[in-house]
Amino acid sequence: MTTMDIRPFEDRDREAVTALALRAWEPVHASLREVLGEELYRTLVPDWRRAQRDEVTGSLEAEEERVWVAEVDGVVVGFTAARLLPEDDMGEIRLLAVDPAHQGRGTGTALTEVATDWIRDQGMAVAMVETGGDDGHAPARAAYERAGYTRLPVARYFRRL
């Protein structure tokens, strides 16, 4: 039986976290491409791999964010990043990714709970997360809902001009 450990991110995790993020978000971007259509998708996201790599790197380097990794048998299989928004008495889970080979095993929920506990321990009244409503984001939405988050009926619209 394998056990999962969650611990703070260390610099030695950088390559593993970035690689798993790209694997985890590939289905998300395929879903977005389908929803938006090729032309609008290419306008909004000309190079998704670079954009995701930059976003992950930014979170790993941001002093105001906390990052945790999930390990199974010494292999990084997921991560999450959170930050505080004290002016709003709130914390935000900025990123969550679980390697597709390890999805559906509670890793995303466990990472979400660690980040939520940290937000609560910092004295914030609310924890929030934003995610997409497309099929590619379904695993993330399920993890957030299992961790006790309430889904709001918010929509975001785009129109190519």
Side-chain angles (χ1 to χ4, degrees):
M1 183 172 158
T2 60
T3 59
M4 179 181 57
D5 294 312
I6 297 178
R7 60 169 176 77
F9 167 82
E10 298 174 6
D11 197 54
R12 66 183 169 97
D13 303 318
R14 183 176 303 274
E15 189 176 317
V17 164
T18 303
L20 83 84
L22 294 177
R23 287 191 302 276
W25 290 326
E26 188 165 1
V28 169
H29 283 277
S31 178
L32 288 173
R33 183 180 288 112
E34 185 177 313
V35 169
L36 296 173
E38 188 66 32
E39 186 178 357
L40 181 54
Y41 176 80
R42 290 271 180 226
T43 300
L44 293 172
V45 191
D47 184 348
W48 77 264
R49 285 177 182 81
R50 174 193 264 170
Q52 291 298 164
R53 192 175 295 112
D54 290 349
E55 185 169 10
V56 170
T57 299
S59 284
L60 298 179
E61 295 173 355
E63 288 186 27
E64 70 276 6
E65 292 191 35
R66 296 295 177 268
V67 180
W68 298 267
V69 297
E71 280 186 327
V72 173
D73 296 330
V75 176
V76 175
V77 299
F79 83 102
T80 191
R83 68 178 177 176
L84 301 177
L85 304 167
E87 64 279 2
D88 297 321
D89 199 18
M90 178 168 57
E92 176 187 19
I93 296 177
R94 292 246 314 111
L95 298 172
L96 173 69
V98 175
D99 193 298
H102 291 271
Q103 290 179 1
R105 301 178 191 180
T107 304
T109 301
L111 285 162
T112 299
E113 289 172 346
V114 166
T116 303
D117 289 346
W118 175 75
I119 292 167
R120 181 185 307 107
D121 292 347
Q122 302 309 303
M124 299 297 106
V126 175
M128 63 90 64
V129 63
E130 291 184 29
T131 191
D134 58 288
D135 290 344
H137 283 92
R141 288 193 309 272
Y144 300 137
E145 290 172 12
R146 281 192 300 271
Y149 282 70
T150 301
R151 185 175 179 185
L152 300 176
V154 176
R156 183 183 266 178
Y157 293 88
F158 294 98
R159 178 179 169 188
R160 180 152 173 83
L161 304 175

